[in-house]
Amino acid sequence: MNTPATLRLARSSLRAHRRRFLGTFAAVLLGVAFLTGTLVMGDTLRASFDSMFTGATRGTDAVVRSATTVTAAGEAQGTRGPVDDDGRALPVRPGGLELAVQLRDLAVETGLPPG
């Protein structure tokens, strides 16, 4: 393809359809600006909530939670399984939750570390 001829054709098309070009340019510019603003706001909110909850739980040694998982007001969506000291979920076996509670209680009574 002949490059100078292509550039000449593009320039003449832009001159002939100036309003169309400016409208397209403005639409793309606004779209990019809104998308960038949305992504920046989402990251800012996420960082704010992370730092807020990190500060609220600083110095917490133990977290007590219900066995029922609540996802919305008034709705229970199942039961939570046991977690280890790092908060990772432990495999659930029949009677395993009761055994984990008994072992933890025994460790507290004897002064040994749980686990």
Side-chain angles (χ1 to χ4, degrees):
M1 192 174 250
N2 192 355
T3 304
T6 306
L7 291 176
R8 225 180 9 252
L9 178 64
R11 267 191 250 120
S12 67
S13 178
L14 285 176
R15 265 187 253 121
H17 303 287
R18 225 177 246 147
R19 283 180 37 196
R20 184 188 305 168
F21 170 71
L22 290 176
T24 303
F25 180 77
V28 169
L29 183 70
L30 283 173
V32 169
F34 278 116
L35 180 64
T36 303
T38 302
L39 293 174
V40 167
M41 185 181 73
D43 286 344
T44 303
L45 285 173
R46 187 176 302 109
S48 295
F49 275 103
D50 285 348
S51 68
M52 182 176 62
F53 285 115
T54 300
T57 58
R58 183 174 292 127
T60 302
D61 292 330
V63 176
V64 178
R65 64 183 191 160
S66 169
T68 306
T69 304
V70 179
T71 57
E75 293 181 21
Q77 296 290 326
T79 350
R80 294 182 184 191
V83 294
D84 65 5
D85 293 336
D86 295 328
R88 292 182 298 236
L90 295 173
V92 178
R93 296 180 190 94
L97 182 59
E98 293 81 14
L99 179 61
V101 170
Q102 290 171 0
L103 287 175
R104 194 162 289 194
D105 290 345
L106 180 62
V108 169
E109 290 173 8
T110 59
L112 297 173

